Amino acid sequence: MKKADTFEPLIQTHISEWMREMWEVEAQHPPMIGSRLKFGLPLSPAKPKRAKAKAGKRAAVKA
Amino acid sequence: MIAQLSIQTPSGPQQVRLEFARMGDDAEMKKWRTPRKHSRPDLAADSIELARLAGKRWRYYLRRNEAATSMDELLEKVGANAKREVGFIIIAKAIGESVSSTLGVAWCRRTWCNHLVLDFLTVHPALNDPVGGYKGMGFGMFIGIAVVAEKLGSHLVWGEATETSCTFYQKLLGGTPVLDHFFFGFEALAALREQLPLRSQFKPKSKP
């Protein structure tokens, strides 16, 4: 497969007026996104049940 | 690294590095706690919960080999199957001393038709206190998303805005009304990327 190109990062060298303006907006209106109910994640696999013998043993002790 | 930018903190500017989250990066997200003093504890609680939900989703994709932990890996996965859905987290790491080494988290998915969906975006609880003196982390995260979108050749980033965040996205889109969803097209993404030059654009030119 073709190797991916080297990724050149971007670096901030100055802060624009627009950026400063958005900072003020962000301070009052946080940009957080997400919903608690958005994803129904698959259930965790069921845990193995306790051995029946142990339950029987406890019943026997009680008796 | 995707980008390096500056945010505002109570003690002055803070340099932040945007990266793809790698194995183990979620450990720091799990350590997020509400600061003792916070003017909006509800927002702080949301920050923490959204980071945990994003981490949970990410780990699920990682287990299924459907998550990318670098730009190269993302391009490789998409290159192998153009219709593949691939998820990734963009993480904001503080350079130098800070309230936490991880300051922001964005969980994104590249869809089958090469659009990006932003499912979760959250910042450290200390950073979303309206009177806390921190500014710019969310905006910076979105610049990172725009950079990745360009590299993927993706011309659309969309997401579901909340009651709290819709005003921010409306302003970011130049006033286009935003209710519970937003669409950042090619031009809007380009405007975000223009906030940061490429490293090579300000390096001194080599001698002929």
Side-chain angles (χ1 to χ4, degrees), chain A residues 29-50:
Chain A
H29 305 280
M32 291 189 300
I33 283 179
S35 168
R36 290 168 185 86
L37 305 174
K38 197 164 190 174
F39 300 113
L41 285 172
L43 296 169
S44 306
K47 288 179 183 170
K49 288 182 180 173
R50 290 175 73 100

Side-chain angles (χ1 to χ4, degrees), chain B residues 3 26 37 41 78 84 88 96 99 102 109 127 133 146 158 161 173-174 200:
Chain B
D26 54 335
K37 284 184 182 176
V78 173
R84 185 168 185 182
F88 56 91
V99 65
T102 299
R109 279 182 296 127
L127 274 65
W158 61 273
L173 283 165
S200 56

Side-chain angles (χ1 to χ4, degrees), chain B residues 74-89:
Chain B
L74 177 59
L75 292 172
E76 273 178 27
K77 280 187 156 71
V78 173
N81 177 358
K83 293 205 169 181
R84 185 168 185 182
E85 178 176 305
V86 186
F88 56 91
I89 280 183

Side-chain angles (χ1 to χ4, degrees), chain A residues 14-29:
Chain A
H14 72 286
I15 297 163
S16 67
E17 280 306 306
W18 181 49
M19 199 175 252
R20 284 186 196 283
E21 192 186 318
M22 285 310 303
W23 283 5
E24 297 306 321
V25 174
E26 182 181 335
Q28 297 309 313
H29 305 280

Side-chain angles (χ1 to χ4, degrees), chain A residues 5 7-13 16 18-19 22-24 26-27 29-34 36 38-39 41-42, chain B residues 2-4 6 46-47 49 56-57 60 119-121 128 130 135-139 168-169 195-197 200:
Chain A
D5 297 338
F7 182 60
E8 189 182 11
L10 285 87
I11 313 281
Q12 187 176 43
T13 50
S16 67
W18 181 49
M19 199 175 252
M22 285 310 303
W23 283 5
E24 297 306 321
E26 182 181 335
H29 305 280
M32 291 189 300
I33 283 179
R36 290 168 185 86
K38 197 164 190 174
F39 300 113
L41 285 172
Chain B
I2 297 166
Q4 184 177 316
S6 187
D46 281 352
S47 274
E49 187 176 7
K56 191 177 178 185
R57 193 72 185 164
Y60 175 71
D119 286 323
F120 290 102
L121 188 149
N128 73 359
K135 293 170 187 172
M137 192 64 264
F139 183 67
F168 172 80
Y169 292 102
Q195 298 300 309
L196 306 180
S200 56

Side-chain angles (χ1 to χ4, degrees), chain B residues 46-65:
Chain B
D46 281 352
S47 274
I48 295 165
E49 187 176 7
L50 293 177
R52 288 184 182 169
L53 287 169
K56 191 177 178 185
R57 193 72 185 164
W58 180 62
R59 288 189 296 276
Y60 175 71
Y61 271 60
L62 278 174
R63 283 196 298 273
R64 294 165 54 95
N65 192 29

